[in-house]
Amino acid sequence: MTTDCVFCKIAKGELKADLVYEDSQVVAFRDLNPQAPVHILIIPRKHIQSLDALWDQDANIVGRIATVARDIARKLGISEDGYRLVNNCGEQAGQTVLHLHFHLLGGRNLGWPPG
Ligand code: 5GP
Ligand code: ZN
């Protein structure tokens, strides 16, 4: 836990968020500034700064995030049409919150390549 990290605060329930899923390892909530009809952020409860800062022994958390994303996509009705699970790592990728998170986006046609 990093005291000034907004996503740690959301994971601890200290900052309000529209939660769609939580368990002992992972929390998922709606993005404050959605870029698609469905835009969910999925984070580990553990403070990990970015994908680049992920230790090998914590790699299972990324697998867990993927299965949680799959289940949320089904629950929110975007799995048939398709969706995107994306991580921005570092400055040039546009990472603004320094707590590992994956964006689950769906509900519209998503362009490629991004940005
Ligand atoms: P990044 O650019 O780091 O990949 O994504 C950070 C995302 O977090 C952005 O899409 C932004 O809208 C979202 N965000 C930032 N602060 C908050 C917050 O306090 N609550 C929620 N729900 N989303 C946030
Ligand atoms: Zn954090």
Side-chain angles (χ1 to χ4, degrees), residues 2 5 7-8 47-48 98-99:
T2 301
C5 172
F7 286 0
C8 280
H47 182 84
I48 298 166
L98 299 182
H99 179 129

Side-chain angles (χ1 to χ4, degrees), residues 7-27:
F7 286 0
C8 280
K9 286 182 181 164
I10 287 172
K12 291 194 89 186
E14 293 173 2
L15 191 68
K16 204 165 170 275
D18 188 356
L19 261 57
V20 297
Y21 177 81
E22 64 178 321
D23 64 26
S24 60
Q25 277 191 298
V26 166
V27 181

Side-chain angles (χ1 to χ4, degrees), residues 19-94:
L19 261 57
V20 297
Y21 177 81
E22 64 178 321
D23 64 26
S24 60
Q25 277 191 298
V26 166
V27 181
F29 50 93
R30 291 187 191 275
D31 196 292
L32 207 54
N33 183 23
Q35 301 301 312
V38 173
H39 187 173
I40 308 294
L41 298 172
I42 310 172
I43 68 167
R45 283 193 187 276
K46 180 175 180 176
H47 182 84
I48 298 166
Q49 185 160 310
S50 72
L51 197 58
D52 188 60
L54 181 74
W55 292 94
D56 286 359
Q57 59 263 35
D58 286 331
N60 71 312
I61 198 72
V62 178
R64 182 65 193 138
I65 285 170
T67 57
V68 165
R70 174 203 63 197
D71 292 347
I72 293 171
R74 287 178 184 162
K75 190 172 127 192
L76 299 184
I78 56 170
S79 54
E80 270 190 35
D81 286 343
Y83 55 86
R84 185 169 294 161
L85 184 64
V86 63
N87 168 255
N88 297 323
C89 179
E91 201 177 327
Q92 278 211 331

